[in-house]
Amino acid sequence: DNLGGAYMSAGQYELAEEAYRVQLILSPEDYFAVWGIGRALILQGNANEALEYLNENLDDQHPLHWHGKTLALHDLGRTDEALSELAKLLELDPGTPGIHWYVGTAYAWIGETDKAFASFEKQREYGAMIFTSVGDSALYANLSNDPRWQPFLASVGRDPEFLATVEFNPTLPSDIHLQ
């Protein structure tokens, strides 16, 4: 699951899909991996395939199913259906872990930037740890030019300027050679 997420963050959606498929072999009940495959397919431009995959492999009463379908249906131009799936997320208990992040990313994807920011602010109230995946992800493409985006990233510790200053120089064992 972590490898798939790393590939998603790096914009390597085909590799993310492969990693999530391996994760499902290792853990067949991992609904995060199913959702990851759906998102990877969407980000590869395969919304039809993503929609079909999510419908076949994720319980239609699961919030991640509604989230993935919102993104896919929006990409397919099926706006009313996308908003219907998003409405299911909005009906959940506001204390549901990560719910405001799911809602915020769905709003960001469909171009409802004010609602996306409002959802992210609510999520911050419940915990900012989920924002580890915020940044250059294509899920936030509609927010990247909004003047609120960079200050928001800074407020959750994901400011690109700050992250660029982080040095990572691990010492590897002598028998490991990087090419």
Side-chain angles (χ1 to χ4, degrees), residues 14 25 32 37 46 50 61-62 73 77 85 88 122 135-136 140 150 161 177:
E14 289 177 15
I25 292 168
F32 281 107
I37 291 168
N46 300 323
Q61 296 303 307
H62 198 287
L73 289 165
E85 294 299 318
K88 294 174 187 176
K122 286 180 188 174
D136 291 334
Y140 310 105
Q150 292 305 318
E161 290 179 22
H177 303 284

Side-chain angles (χ1 to χ4, degrees), residues 37-59:
I37 291 168
R39 286 181 302 133
L41 289 167
I42 291 165
L43 293 170
Q44 291 174 66
N46 300 323
N48 267 325
E49 186 179 347
L51 187 59
E52 184 177 311
Y53 183 81
L54 290 167
N55 282 332
E56 291 175 1
N57 294 286
L58 194 57
D59 179 2

Side-chain angles (χ1 to χ4, degrees), residues 3 7 10 53 70 80 87 90 94 101 109 128-129 168:
L3 182 59
Y7 280 132
Y53 183 81
T70 299
D80 290 343
L90 294 169
W101 182 83
W109 189 256
M129 187 61 165
F168 183 71

Side-chain angles (χ1 to χ4, degrees), residues 18-159:
E18 289 176 31
Y20 285 127
R21 289 187 187 278
V22 169
Q23 179 62 28
L24 279 177
I25 292 168
L26 299 172
S27 183
E29 302 298 318
D30 187 344
Y31 52 85
F32 281 107
V34 173
W35 176 59
I37 291 168
R39 286 181 302 133
L41 289 167
I42 291 165
L43 293 170
Q44 291 174 66
N46 300 323
N48 267 325
E49 186 179 347
L51 187 59
E52 184 177 311
Y53 183 81
L54 290 167
N55 282 332
E56 291 175 1
N57 294 286
L58 194 57
D59 179 2
D60 67 356
Q61 296 303 307
H62 198 287
L64 296 178
H65 183 258
W66 304 329
H67 180 268
K69 282 185 70 176
T70 299
L71 305 183
L73 289 165
H74 171 75
D75 281 9
L76 294 171
R78 295 163 57 182
T79 305
D80 290 343
E81 291 174 81
L83 293 175
S84 176
E85 294 299 318
L86 179 56
K88 294 174 187 176
L89 287 173
L90 294 169
E91 293 172 5
L92 290 175
D93 179 338
T96 302
I99 189 59
H100 300 292
W101 182 83
Y102 299 128
V103 169
T105 58
Y107 275 137
W109 189 256
I110 66 175
E112 294 280 350
T113 57
D114 290 339
K115 291 178 180 178
F117 280 108
S119 294
F120 290 153
E121 288 300 328
K122 286 180 188 174
Q123 183 60 55
R124 187 191 341 237
E125 293 173 19
Y126 287 94
M129 187 61 165
I130 199 163
F131 290 116
T132 56
S133 61
V134 172
D136 291 334
S137 170
L139 289 175
Y140 310 105
N142 288 326
L143 303 178
S144 64
N145 292 324
D146 190 294
R148 298 170 289 182
W149 186 234
Q150 292 305 318
F152 176 78
L153 290 176
S155 76
V156 294
R158 296 291 171 231
D159 177 39

